[in-house]
Amino acid sequence: MRSVEEVVAGRLIAACLAVAPPGPGICQICFAGTTVRSPTCPTCRDVARQLGHGLVPATPISLVTKDNGLYRALRQYKSGEPSVARNQARALSALLALVLRRHFPCVAPEGVDMVLVVPSQEPNRPPPHPLLPVLDGVPDLPPASPMLRAGPGTLGHRSATAEGYQCEEPVQGRRVLLVDDTYTTGAHVQSAARALLDAGAAAVRPLVIGRYVQPNWPGSESIMAWANRHRWSAEVCVHCTPA
């Protein structure tokens, strides 16, 4: 018998694409394709250089492409017609609940004291962040906080900076689950993680719903081929999937 989460997230589950686990040819930070000689992809090396520090491995739930049903949900939950946005947000909550119920120890092995979202970079979007109500629908998580704000640094699609975000509350010694809807280059997620660690967070664990992929990117062919050979399942995640 299917759980409530499986029923509500059913169409998104059908759209999810399996993410290859880290290993030869797979970036250990963002799970993009890379050369077998390097544990990280060129983009992650670029972001690390900009931040002047190593990066925090993310946990992506699924690959997404621009033609994918999960990608549509990740667009529509924050900018769709209101009833569509509500339905997509409810389905995303169910998907997150399903994954975290099975894999919370994989995502955050040391536990979590606080849940934060990566602030939106869209200046015309009024608060609250659209991910906050999505996370409110996930059982057993601490209440998601909007206390991470834009900082003085300039962020871009491929421009990372530790000054891109700032904390409005103390994070010293706290274990943070940092949630974002989509991971592309990692400039925003990794900048937020760096700001939290620099502010004294004991651990930052980024969780992203969709790892965006363009099939014509270098390395994409191998990870898309892996996804086509392995059906997505909530029973496994990137940390417990056999290579």
Side-chain angles (χ1 to χ4, degrees):
M1 186 181 218
R2 294 196 300 167
S3 68
V4 173
E5 290 97 345
E6 288 172 308
V7 172
V8 175
R11 57 189 168 75
L12 297 188
I13 291 171
C16 283
L17 298 172
V19 185
I26 305 296
C27 179
Q28 64 184 11
I29 300 296
C30 74
F31 301 87
T34 187
T35 66
V36 291
R37 295 183 179 180
S38 174
T40 56
C41 67
T43 300
C44 283
R45 294 198 294 274
D46 237 12
V47 171
R49 177 184 54 77
Q50 292 168 3
L51 292 174
H53 209 285
L55 305 184
V56 182
T59 299
I61 290 175
S62 170
L63 297 181
V64 291
T65 66
K66 66 178 182 180
D67 300 320
N68 174 267
L70 179 57
Y71 180 71
R72 283 195 297 277
L74 292 170
R75 303 276 293 182
Q76 291 175 342
Y77 92 98
K78 55 188 176 183
S79 57
E81 187 271 328
S83 64
V84 173
R86 284 192 298 272
N87 288 336
Q88 297 288 30
R90 184 167 174 260
L92 289 169
S93 288
L95 179 64
L96 281 166
L98 183 67
V99 170
L100 287 174
R101 181 153 50 85
R102 288 163 168 79
H103 302 290
F104 192 88
C106 299
V107 176
E110 59 283 283
V112 162
D113 299 308
M114 60 194 315
V115 178
L116 302 180
V117 297
V118 178
S120 173
Q121 292 297 306
E122 299 182 35
N124 295 326
R125 174 168 291 135
H129 192 292
L131 259 181
L132 293 174
V134 170
L135 291 168
D136 285 345
V138 180
D140 304 322
L141 276 183
S145 169
M147 55 77 72
L148 197 60
R149 300 288 186 181
T154 301
L155 285 164
H157 177 63
R158 292 186 174 273
S159 301
T161 171
E163 296 182 340
Y165 299 103
Q166 56 191 11
C167 308
E168 294 194 336
E169 299 173 16
V171 296
Q172 186 77 32
R174 309 295 295 277
R175 302 163 298 174
V176 180
L177 181 67
L178 179 64
V179 186
D180 205 0
D181 49 22
T182 310
Y183 192 115
T184 306
T185 67
H188 295 101
V189 175
Q190 296 295 343
S191 294
R194 189 72 256 150
L196 290 164
L197 290 168
D198 288 347
V204 179
R205 299 295 183 180
L207 172 67
V208 295
I209 300 172
R211 200 308 175 205
Y212 183 74
V213 175
Q214 286 191 14
N216 60 347
W217 284 349
S220 292
E221 183 178 346
S222 61
I223 60 174
M224 292 302 295
W226 197 94
N228 288 331
R229 294 196 305 271
H230 297 79
R231 185 178 179 181
W232 188 90
S233 170
E235 299 302 319
V236 294
C237 72
V238 291
H239 304 296
C240 61
T241 300

